[in-house]
Amino acid sequence: MTNCYDDPATLIGDVETLRGHIGDVTSLAKDKVLDRLDRFCRDFIALSPFLVLASCDSEGRADASPRGDAPGFVRVLDDRTLLIPDRRGNNRVDSFGNIVSAPGVGLVFMVPGIPETLRVNGKAWATRDAALLAPSIMQGRAPVTGLLVAVEEAFFHCGKALIRSKLWDPAAQVPRDSFPTLGRIIADQTKAVDADEADRNLEEAYRSRLY
């Protein structure tokens, strides 16, 4: 028996079939795409404390990584260049590992309370230029690495997804005790640490390694 999710008759395998199934893109949706950051993009980035960075390696394996800091932590160097500082973490550097072999990236900027998002696509490369990174200092610590992004596309995305998800609605927040802490999840998944110890370590990491 063929499962519905792998039935060849239901799969879309090429752009022509996809476009025939979905229909033509509207002229407005095409025309809103910029090749640079205009004043609205720059102002939105200045307000944004959070983005999602999408990348993939040379074999097409994809990754999406959250980035967050004080509003405006992503610096607009000029109308076609962004700098994303890299704060201290667990040293997985998944995004950086992807970018050094396949530089294409996609960014989605969010601003709490605003349902629309800003999408930026382009090419990125890693930098360790201390002078360039110095203005991104936070709590006395300058990042040792950053991502420079050459903007190729920038456009605003309508707020339907955030409105449907009620992401900015305080009434939709899930009580924290309704889901296990990350420490307990890692303890169960790895069997390498006690759950209480994992929770303590995580709390300490959150306190001491915010930047």
Side-chain angles (χ1 to χ4, degrees):
M1 180 178 178
T2 301
N3 294 312
C4 63
Y5 50 79
D6 61 4
D7 181 355
T10 66
L11 298 180
I12 298 175
D14 58 76
V15 175
E16 183 178 353
T17 302
L18 174 63
R19 184 54 64 193
H21 178 69
I22 298 297
D24 293 333
V25 62
T26 66
S27 59
L28 183 60
K30 289 189 295 185
D31 293 344
K32 71 176 181 178
V33 180
L34 306 176
D35 64 355
R36 58 185 172 76
L37 303 170
D38 68 358
R39 63 187 180 92
F40 299 108
C41 297
R42 296 167 72 107
D43 289 347
F44 196 88
I45 292 170
L47 292 172
S48 176
F50 181 79
L51 66 90
V52 177
L53 165 65
S55 62
C56 68
D57 65 15
S58 59
E59 297 182 10
R61 290 177 296 227
D63 179 77
S65 176
R67 293 286 191 274
D69 214 322
F73 74 101
V74 175
R75 290 165 47 211
V76 179
L77 302 184
D78 58 51
D79 287 351
R80 289 182 168 83
T81 314
L82 296 172
L83 175 64
I84 306 174
D86 188 57
R87 303 303 181 187
R88 296 176 62 189
N90 57 18
N91 292 337
R92 283 187 56 99
V93 294
D94 296 301
S95 299
F96 282 87
N98 288 342
I99 286 164
V100 295
S101 58
V105 296
L107 312 176
V108 179
F109 288 91
M110 302 182 193
V111 175
I114 297 179
E116 292 77 27
T117 55
L118 174 65
R119 292 170 57 176
V120 177
N121 301 317
K123 299 290 193 304
W125 63 100
T127 180
R128 55 185 176 183
D129 185 331
L132 185 63
L133 295 166
S136 295
I137 192 170
M138 188 66 69
Q139 291 191 348
R141 296 178 179 175
V144 298
T145 317
L147 283 180
L148 286 163
V149 179
V151 176
E152 296 177 345
E153 294 182 325
F155 58 97
F156 283 94
H157 195 112
C158 78
K160 291 179 181 177
L162 270 64
I163 292 170
R164 287 194 297 259
S165 68
K166 299 182 180 180
L167 186 63
W168 305 136
D169 183 354
Q173 290 188 354
V174 176
R176 185 61 191 89
D177 59 5
S178 67
F179 193 78
T181 63
L182 178 59
R184 294 186 177 276
I185 293 171
I186 292 175
D188 184 82
Q189 291 176 338
T190 66
K191 313 301 182 188
V193 64
D194 174 76
D196 291 333
E197 179 184 354
D199 271 346
R200 289 193 297 270
N201 291 341
L202 182 65
E203 286 301 318
E204 175 60 25
Y206 282 164
R207 285 195 299 272
S208 64
R209 301 179 68 182
L210 285 176
Y211 298 104

